[in-house]
Amino acid sequence: TTHAWIYKPNSTYKNKPPLLVKAHSGPTSSFDGSFNLEVQYWTSRGWFVAEVNYGGSSGFGRGYRERLNNLWGEVDSADCIALAQSLNEEQLIDPSKIVISGNSAGGFTALTTLYKSNLFQAAICKYPVIDLNNMRLNTHRFERNYLNSLIGDFENNKKKYFERSPKNNLNKINKPILLFHGKNDSVINFRESTEFNKKLLENNIYSEIFLFDDEGHGFKNLKNKINVLEKTEDFLKYI
């Protein structure tokens, strides 16, 4: 069983709505269901939005939180896929128009989910985790040993760090990807996203990237936030 907040579009279209699945960052935080202007942006445009509190999210008991232990990149993506399948089985959404988005750790989940399932048609990521080893070396000081519980200690789990990193699964990706990154990001270097975008294009996968000179790990400028939404809408209309 997976918890999720569900937001249905307030529209009168006869067709079933497209679905936007949102994976939270953290990755052990959670969506709390509070008012979210970004969700409103999409529901007002006819999108069905699902904020997924996949296994490992906080607030649902220790057992639920510990589901993610050593299984980040497995349980989170499986829960996002299961949710999309469930909504499709209930005939609430258009199965040909399902996309997934996430920021930072949520971007890692979004990218992983994209190449683990044919359900999703695209991924939209802000400053995503693309290389787990780089994250291990460069993340916040207070998260220095975070991956020991999420993946396992590096010395004994080097293979997992390699195999679960999106950058090492480029050959499995065959759907469009939209990337946003701040050049002042001290946690995940923006060059990881630019290199990832370059490799996708070399593989003939449609990909776009937008960089912001004045942003770090977490966008704060209101104009940039609006720009991200508008660029995302343009991207989705195009694909």
Side-chain angles (χ1 to χ4, degrees), residues 39-200:
V39 170
Q40 298 298 309
Y41 182 91
W42 294 112
T43 55
S44 70
R45 283 156 175 77
W47 282 80
F48 192 117
V49 180
E51 295 179 325
V52 188
N53 285 322
Y54 48 78
S57 302
S58 299
F60 306 95
R62 179 181 289 184
Y64 197 82
R65 209 338 256 123
E66 291 180 347
R67 279 184 58 202
L68 202 61
N69 286 0
N70 300 316
L71 292 171
W72 188 35
E74 303 283 342
V75 165
D76 47 325
S77 60
D79 282 1
C80 289
I81 293 166
L83 177 76
Q85 289 173 333
S86 177
L87 293 172
N88 183 34
E89 287 167 6
E90 292 181 42
Q91 299 187 343
L92 294 172
I93 50 119
D94 182 342
S96 70
K97 296 177 181 176
I98 303 175
V99 299
I100 186 166
S101 71
N103 312 340
S104 189
F108 168 81
T109 298
L111 292 172
T112 303
T113 304
L114 188 67
Y115 61 74
K116 284 196 171 186
S117 170
N118 290 323
L119 268 176
F120 296 84
Q121 300 304 312
I124 301 112
C125 304
K126 296 180 200 165
Y127 37 90
V129 173
I130 294 172
D131 186 328
L132 290 170
N133 190 35
N134 276 354
M135 179 188 177
R136 178 182 71 88
L137 296 170
N138 300 309
T139 191
H140 309 282
R141 280 189 301 165
F142 66 87
E143 290 185 345
R144 183 165 291 164
N145 298 311
Y146 202 8
L147 292 181
N148 287 359
S149 63
L150 295 170
I151 307 290
D153 69 278
F154 183 70
E155 290 305 315
N156 295 312
N157 294 278
K158 291 179 181 178
K159 187 178 179 183
K160 285 183 184 177
Y161 279 74
F162 182 87
E163 290 178 345
R164 292 188 196 173
S165 295
K167 70 174 287 186
N168 300 321
N169 288 280
L170 272 159
N171 61 317
K172 298 177 185 175
I173 297 174
N174 58 9
K175 300 290 175 59
I177 293 175
L178 175 62
L179 299 163
F180 299 96
H181 215 127
K183 288 189 174 181
N184 293 330
D185 193 331
S186 60
V187 179
I188 301 171
N189 193 295
F190 75 92
R191 291 181 180 84
E192 287 191 39
S193 285
T194 56
E195 184 65 21
F196 193 66
N197 174 70
K198 180 183 175 184
K199 293 280 181 61
L200 287 168

Side-chain angles (χ1 to χ4, degrees), residues 196-233:
F196 193 66
N197 174 70
K198 180 183 175 184
K199 293 280 181 61
L200 287 168
L201 294 174
E202 287 175 356
N203 287 355
N204 294 316
I205 303 302
Y206 185 75
S207 176
E208 294 181 24
I209 186 167
F210 294 94
L211 302 175
F212 297 93
D213 293 330
D214 56 342
E215 295 287 9
H217 197 72
F219 294 173
K220 293 181 170 64
N221 185 298
L222 182 59
K223 287 184 179 179
N224 292 341
K225 289 182 177 182
I226 293 171
N227 194 12
V228 166
L229 288 171
E230 291 175 343
K231 294 295 184 185
T232 301
E233 191 170 18

Side-chain angles (χ1 to χ4, degrees), residues 20-36:
L20 171 61
V21 172
K22 291 170 63 68
H24 63 71
S25 57
T28 55
S29 60
S30 63
F31 290 115
D32 60 9
S34 59
F35 183 73
N36 186 325

